[in-house]
Amino acid sequence: MELQGTHRFAQDPDWGMLLMRFRDGKLTEKDIDVINTRVVKDDKDIPPDVTYATYRNVNRTSINHGVFQKYCNDRKDSGDNLDSDFILVLSTEIEVKKGNGVYKKVSNQWEKHFWENCGEGDCRPQDFLGQFDPGLLLYYKIPMMVNNNLDVGSGIAKGTKAYIEKIHLKPGRTIRYTSIGQGNNGTRIPVVRASDILRVTMRHDSPDAVSPIFLLEPKTKQTFCARVPYPDSLQTGGETSCQQLYMRGTQLPILCNNATMGHKLQGATIETLFVHSWSNVRNWTYVVLSRVKTLKGLF
């Protein structure tokens, strides 16, 4: 059944007709000129609550970190109390798979090296499971995406969009602090290990969800293949040398969603979208452009 409707573009019918021509391979030079009027020449033109679209995970991770750093800096400049606004959740119980197929727990120093040098984009999931983030940078009501099929019948599945409202620690567990950023410009933020979390209260992004509130627990023994840089003492200059390691660990089964991979945007309707990078993969450009309800919402 081929869908011919343009209901998403009711506020901007001309944009909808342009996208129909795009979909059918009938894009004109004038259409291309119209799209190019939305090229951003100044970062100040980008709305603060914009969604970012990327093709590669490494770009998505970089943007999510940048948005978090900006949030921290803005809160720091405002003079507000920061401790209850954002937090870093570190993955724990990290193990590396040895040649004999047995997973072995790593040392504290190795775990620290992993946190500091690897991001979500460096950890490829195994067996079609969700991405693994060594260090989740979270703030109040940050847009998140569930990365595992936890309870499909209740709408808690891979790709479910939600917001974090509360983090509940296990009895007797405490929060520590670290600093991110350079020198005196660093921001002091709370830190907690994933294994110290009892559960997280989430709120569905969709107003039509049967149950708007749901709870998540840290997921243990998540498996992934990580691209881990060798220590500085083993680097030989030039490009950073890395090793591919099969690993597993404990982390919340969610990912930051300020930036989203293009294929994960399918089916979504978005008010404002910043396309960070392009891909010539078949249909990718059309899918990304057609998520936005109006031409003015595209950046």
Side-chain angles (χ1 to χ4, degrees):
M1 181 181 294
E2 184 176 356
L3 303 180
Q4 297 285 353
T6 57
H7 309 292
R8 176 176 291 144
F9 317 109
Q11 299 175 27
D12 192 346
D14 291 341
W15 176 235
M17 294 307 297
L18 185 155
L19 290 168
M20 287 291 281
R21 292 191 292 274
F22 198 146
R23 190 194 73 163
D24 294 339
K26 299 177 180 178
L27 203 66
T28 66
E29 291 288 341
K30 183 179 178 181
D31 292 335
I32 294 173
D33 291 340
V34 169
I35 295 172
N36 285 339
T37 63
R38 303 307 300 160
V39 173
V40 174
K41 295 181 173 64
D42 190 332
D43 289 349
K44 295 179 181 177
D45 296 334
I46 304 174
D49 58 346
V50 72
T51 298
Y52 293 81
T54 70
Y55 178 65
R56 299 186 183 280
N57 256 321
V58 64
N59 298 131
R60 197 174 75 81
T61 303
S62 177
I63 292 170
N64 282 327
H65 285 193
V67 171
F68 179 84
Q69 183 70 65
K70 185 178 185 304
Y71 180 91
C72 291
N73 292 340
D74 290 346
R75 301 296 287 164
K76 183 179 179 182
D77 294 341
S78 70
D80 294 340
N81 176 31
L82 304 178
D83 286 5
S84 61
D85 282 351
F86 47 78
I87 195 167
L88 166 61
V89 179
L90 294 173
S91 57
T92 52
E93 300 171 340
I94 300 297
E95 298 176 322
V96 174
K97 190 176 185 180
K98 299 298 182 180
N100 58 3
V102 176
Y103 284 92
K104 184 178 179 181
K105 186 176 180 180
V106 299
S107 67
N108 292 339
Q109 190 62 32
W110 198 99
E111 198 171 41
K112 182 174 182 288
H113 177 78
F114 176 60
W115 293 332
E116 292 180 346
N117 292 278
C118 295
E120 176 207 329
D122 301 306
C123 301
R124 189 176 72 251
Q126 291 182 260
D127 303 323
F128 301 101
L129 298 175
Q131 296 285 137
F132 186 92
D133 196 336
L136 278 168
L137 295 166
L138 309 177
Y139 55 82
Y140 181 58
K141 290 192 173 178
I142 181 176
M144 304 296 296
M145 181 181 289
V146 178
N147 68 349
N148 275 258
N149 291 325
L150 302 174
D151 188 350
V152 178
S154 300
I156 310 172
K158 209 172 173 183
T160 297
K161 298 176 183 177
Y163 297 92
I164 285 187
E165 292 203 335
K166 291 181 182 179
I167 295 177
H168 310 264
L169 297 184
K170 294 177 180 177
R173 306 301 170 92
T174 58
I175 290 176
R176 300 177 183 179
Y177 291 85
T178 189
S179 180
I180 63 171
Q182 299 296 320
N184 295 329
N185 294 323
T187 302
R188 180 174 179 265
I189 63 171
V191 181
V192 66
R193 290 172 175 259
S195 54
D196 290 337
I197 295 175
L198 181 64
R199 61 180 177 270
V200 177
T201 301
M202 309 286 295
R203 180 177 292 275
H204 268 288
D205 176 55
S206 172
D208 300 323
V210 176
S211 178
I213 299 294
F214 63 94
L215 303 176
L216 289 182
E217 297 178 356
K219 187 174 176 60
T220 62
K221 297 184 179 180
Q222 295 186 63
T223 57
F224 55 95
C225 179
R227 183 174 178 271
V228 184
Y230 286 106
D232 291 342
S233 59
L234 298 180
Q235 298 293 343
T236 57
E239 286 192 17
T240 302
S241 299
C242 299
Q243 53 186 331
Q244 300 284 342
L245 297 174
Y246 289 96
M247 302 170 61
R248 68 184 183 188
T250 298
Q251 183 57 288
L252 293 171
I254 49 178
L255 299 172
C256 300
N257 199 40
N258 284 306
T260 308
M261 300 277 283
H263 68 279
K264 289 285 182 67
L265 290 171
Q266 294 187 70
T269 298
I270 297 172
E271 295 289 339
T272 55
L273 182 72
F274 180 86
V275 185
H276 171 267
S277 56
W278 292 102
S279 169
N280 291 324
V281 171
R282 182 178 176 87
N283 297 330
W284 192 91
T285 303
Y286 167 74
V287 168
V288 171
L289 292 178
S290 59
R291 301 308 91 198
V292 190
K293 296 166 66 174
T294 66
L295 177 65
K296 289 184 177 180
L298 175 67
F299 298 87

